[in-house]
Amino acid sequence: MTYSFFAFISRMKYIRRWALMRNSSPENVQEHSHMTAVLAHALAVIRRDVFGGQADPGRAAAAALFHDATEIITGDMPTPVKYHNPEIKTAYRQVEGLARHKLISTLPAALRPEYQRVFSDADGGLRDLVKAADTLSAYIKCQEELKAGNSEFRQACRQTREKLAAMQLPEVDYFLEHFSGAFELTLDELNFSID
Protein backbone atom coordinates (compact mmCIF):
# COMPACT_ATOMS: atom_id res chain seq x y z
CA MET A 1 0.00 0.00 0.00
CA THR A 2 1.19 3.53 -0.79
CA TYR A 3 0.80 6.17 1.93
CA SER A 4 0.41 9.84 1.09
CA PHE A 5 1.52 11.68 4.27
CA PHE A 6 4.88 12.89 2.98
CA ALA A 7 3.46 13.74 -0.46
CA PHE A 8 0.92 15.95 1.35
CA ILE A 9 3.66 17.53 3.50
CA SER A 10 5.71 18.33 0.39
CA ARG A 11 2.76 20.38 -0.89
CA MET A 12 3.27 22.98 1.85
CA LYS A 13 5.47 24.81 -0.68
CA TYR A 14 2.38 25.64 -2.76
CA ILE A 15 0.53 27.47 0.01
CA ARG A 16 1.29 31.18 0.02
CA ARG A 17 1.38 33.22 3.21
CA TRP A 18 0.49 36.90 3.61
CA ALA A 19 -2.02 36.56 0.76
CA LEU A 20 -3.78 39.85 1.52
CA MET A 21 -0.57 41.89 1.39
CA ARG A 22 1.81 42.90 -1.38
CA ASN A 23 5.06 41.01 -0.82
CA SER A 24 8.47 41.98 -2.16
CA SER A 25 9.51 38.37 -1.54
CA PRO A 26 6.67 35.81 -1.45
CA GLU A 27 6.75 33.29 1.39
CA ASN A 28 5.15 29.84 1.42
CA VAL A 29 4.16 27.64 4.35
CA GLN A 30 7.12 25.30 3.87
CA GLU A 31 9.62 28.18 4.10
CA HIS A 32 7.80 29.61 7.11
CA SER A 33 7.70 26.21 8.83
CA HIS A 34 11.44 25.76 8.36
CA MET A 35 12.19 29.16 9.89
CA THR A 36 9.73 28.52 12.71
CA ALA A 37 11.51 25.21 13.46
CA VAL A 38 14.91 26.95 13.51
CA LEU A 39 13.52 29.58 15.89
CA ALA A 40 11.70 27.05 18.14
CA HIS A 41 14.93 25.10 18.44
CA ALA A 42 16.80 28.31 19.35
CA LEU A 43 14.19 29.34 21.94
CA ALA A 44 14.37 25.88 23.54
CA VAL A 45 18.18 26.08 23.67
CA ILE A 46 17.93 29.55 25.22
CA ARG A 47 15.38 28.31 27.78
CA ARG A 48 17.59 25.36 28.70
CA ASP A 49 21.11 26.80 28.46
CA VAL A 50 20.65 30.48 29.31
CA PHE A 51 17.76 30.36 31.79
CA GLY A 52 18.18 26.85 33.20
CA GLY A 53 14.68 25.75 32.29
CA GLN A 54 13.39 22.47 30.91
CA ALA A 55 13.13 22.22 27.13
CA ASP A 56 13.98 19.69 24.44
CA PRO A 57 15.23 21.60 21.37
CA GLY A 58 14.71 18.61 19.06
CA ARG A 59 11.10 18.16 20.08
CA ALA A 60 10.50 21.91 19.77
CA ALA A 61 11.94 21.93 16.25
CA ALA A 62 9.88 18.91 15.18
CA ALA A 63 6.66 20.37 16.57
CA ALA A 64 7.35 23.65 14.77
CA LEU A 65 8.07 21.89 11.46
CA PHE A 66 4.53 20.54 11.48
CA HIS A 67 2.73 23.42 13.25
CA ASP A 68 1.03 24.61 10.04
CA ALA A 69 0.79 21.24 8.27
CA THR A 70 -3.01 21.30 8.49
CA GLU A 71 -2.96 24.24 6.07
CA ILE A 72 -2.30 21.66 3.34
CA ILE A 73 -6.00 20.91 3.73
CA THR A 74 -7.40 24.18 5.10
CA GLY A 75 -5.23 26.69 3.27
CA ASP A 76 -3.68 29.68 5.05
CA MET A 77 -6.52 31.70 6.49
CA PRO A 78 -5.51 35.35 7.01
CA THR A 79 -5.09 36.25 10.69
CA PRO A 80 -7.71 39.06 10.64
CA VAL A 81 -10.30 36.53 9.46
CA LYS A 82 -9.16 33.60 11.64
CA TYR A 83 -9.37 35.63 14.85
CA HIS A 84 -12.23 37.97 13.89
CA ASN A 85 -14.57 36.57 16.54
CA PRO A 86 -14.75 33.60 18.96
CA GLU A 87 -17.13 31.60 16.75
CA ILE A 88 -14.81 31.71 13.74
CA LYS A 89 -11.79 30.93 15.93
CA THR A 90 -13.55 27.92 17.49
CA ALA A 91 -14.81 26.65 14.14
CA TYR A 92 -11.36 26.99 12.60
CA ARG A 93 -9.77 25.04 15.46
CA GLN A 94 -12.28 22.25 14.84
CA VAL A 95 -11.44 22.23 11.13
CA GLU A 96 -7.72 22.13 12.02
CA GLY A 97 -8.37 19.15 14.30
CA LEU A 98 -10.15 17.29 11.52
CA ALA A 99 -7.34 18.14 9.08
CA ARG A 100 -4.73 16.90 11.59
CA HIS A 101 -6.64 13.63 12.00
CA LYS A 102 -6.88 13.26 8.22
CA LEU A 103 -3.14 13.85 7.74
CA ILE A 104 -2.16 11.37 10.44
CA SER A 105 -4.50 8.79 8.92
CA THR A 106 -2.35 8.89 5.75
CA LEU A 107 0.52 7.21 7.64
CA PRO A 108 1.03 3.50 8.32
CA ALA A 109 -0.40 2.57 11.73
CA ALA A 110 3.08 1.94 13.18
CA LEU A 111 4.15 5.56 12.50
CA ARG A 112 0.99 7.32 13.65
CA PRO A 113 1.80 7.51 17.40
CA GLU A 114 5.06 9.39 16.78
CA TYR A 115 3.46 11.92 14.45
CA GLN A 116 0.47 12.28 16.75
CA ARG A 117 2.96 13.17 19.50
CA VAL A 118 4.75 15.68 17.27
CA PHE A 119 1.45 17.33 16.36
CA SER A 120 0.39 17.26 20.02
CA ASP A 121 3.64 18.90 21.20
CA ALA A 122 2.66 22.03 19.26
CA ASP A 123 -0.64 22.06 21.14
CA GLY A 124 0.65 20.99 24.54
CA GLY A 125 3.88 21.24 26.49
CA LEU A 126 5.80 23.11 23.79
CA ARG A 127 2.93 25.33 22.71
CA ASP A 128 4.45 28.53 24.15
CA LEU A 129 7.78 28.00 22.37
CA VAL A 130 6.19 27.01 19.06
CA LYS A 131 3.76 29.94 19.19
CA ALA A 132 6.61 32.32 20.06
CA ALA A 133 8.72 30.93 17.21
CA ASP A 134 5.77 31.26 14.83
CA THR A 135 5.33 34.90 15.84
CA LEU A 136 9.08 35.57 15.64
CA SER A 137 9.09 34.16 12.12
CA ALA A 138 6.29 36.56 11.18
CA TYR A 139 8.18 39.44 12.79
CA ILE A 140 11.34 38.59 10.84
CA LYS A 141 9.30 38.47 7.62
CA CYS A 142 7.96 41.94 8.43
CA GLN A 143 11.48 43.24 9.12
CA GLU A 144 12.70 41.83 5.81
CA GLU A 145 9.81 43.43 3.90
CA LEU A 146 10.45 46.80 5.53
CA LYS A 147 14.17 46.49 4.73
CA ALA A 148 13.17 45.96 1.09
CA GLY A 149 11.21 49.22 1.20
CA ASN A 150 7.77 47.63 1.43
CA SER A 151 5.80 49.88 3.79
CA GLU A 152 2.82 47.53 3.42
CA PHE A 153 4.27 45.62 6.38
CA ARG A 154 4.74 48.59 8.73
CA GLN A 155 1.61 48.01 10.83
CA ALA A 156 2.05 44.23 10.80
CA CYS A 157 5.61 44.68 12.07
CA ARG A 158 4.50 46.93 14.92
CA GLN A 159 1.60 44.65 15.90
CA THR A 160 3.76 41.53 15.75
CA ARG A 161 6.44 43.15 17.93
CA GLU A 162 3.73 44.08 20.47
CA LYS A 163 2.46 40.51 20.40
CA LEU A 164 5.98 39.22 21.12
CA ALA A 165 6.34 41.64 24.06
CA ALA A 166 2.95 40.57 25.44
CA MET A 167 4.12 36.93 25.57
CA GLN A 168 6.48 37.87 28.41
CA LEU A 169 8.85 35.00 27.62
CA PRO A 170 12.47 35.61 28.62
CA GLU A 171 13.61 33.42 25.71
CA VAL A 172 11.88 35.76 23.25
CA ASP A 173 13.29 38.86 24.93
CA TYR A 174 16.78 37.32 24.80
CA PHE A 175 16.41 36.47 21.11
CA LEU A 176 15.16 39.96 20.26
CA GLU A 177 17.98 41.59 22.21
CA HIS A 178 20.78 39.46 20.77
CA PHE A 179 19.64 38.44 17.27
CA SER A 180 16.77 40.53 15.96
CA GLY A 181 18.81 43.52 14.85
CA ALA A 182 20.88 41.42 12.46
CA PHE A 183 17.83 40.89 10.24
CA GLU A 184 17.90 44.61 9.44
CA LEU A 185 21.46 44.41 8.07
CA THR A 186 22.59 43.86 4.50
CA LEU A 187 24.83 40.91 3.64
CA ASP A 188 27.84 43.22 3.55
CA GLU A 189 26.98 44.52 7.04
CA LEU A 190 26.68 41.10 8.64
CA ASN A 191 29.75 40.27 10.69
CA PHE A 192 31.60 37.08 9.72
CA SER A 193 34.44 37.59 12.17
CA ILE A 194 35.34 34.68 14.43
CA ASP A 195 35.91 35.24 18.14
Side-chain angles (χ1 to χ4, degrees), residues 39-50 53-58 60-61 126 129 171:
L39 295 167
H41 184 272
L43 293 176
V45 170
I46 293 166
R47 177 174 285 176
R48 185 190 67 198
D49 298 351
V50 175
Q54 295 294 315
D56 181 334
L126 296 171
L129 290 180
E171 300 85 359

Side-chain angles (χ1 to χ4, degrees), residues 140-153:
I140 291 165
K141 165 67 173 168
C142 292
Q143 284 182 298
E144 291 171 342
E145 288 291 332
L146 290 174
K147 184 172 75 175
N150 185 359
S151 61
E152 179 93 8
F153 279 77

Side-chain angles (χ1 to χ4, degrees), residues 96-131:
E96 284 181 315
L98 292 171
R100 185 179 303 113
H101 176 75
K102 176 62 178 164
L103 279 174
I104 291 172
S105 75
T106 65
L107 284 162
L111 301 182
R112 290 178 190 171
E114 175 61 20
Y115 285 89
Q116 182 65 49
R117 183 189 64 78
V118 168
F119 277 85
S120 297
D121 279 346
D123 292 335
L126 296 171
R127 181 181 172 87
D128 64 336
L129 290 180
V130 173
K131 185 64 183 164

Side-chain angles (χ1 to χ4, degrees), residues 65-128:
L65 272 175
F66 294 97
H67 82 284
D68 278 343
T70 57
E71 291 181 5
I72 296 160
I73 295 170
T74 68
D76 180 33
M77 183 176 291
T79 298
V81 176
K82 191 187 310 186
Y83 300 111
H84 178 69
N85 65 45
E87 292 83 17
I88 291 175
K89 186 177 177 180
T90 299
Y92 190 74
R93 289 199 191 278
Q94 290 172 341
V95 170
E96 284 181 315
L98 292 171
R100 185 179 303 113
H101 176 75
K102 176 62 178 164
L103 279 174
I104 291 172
S105 75
T106 65
L107 284 162
L111 301 182
R112 290 178 190 171
E114 175 61 20
Y115 285 89
Q116 182 65 49
R117 183 189 64 78
V118 168
F119 277 85
S120 297
D121 279 346
D123 292 335
L126 296 171
R127 181 181 172 87
D128 64 336

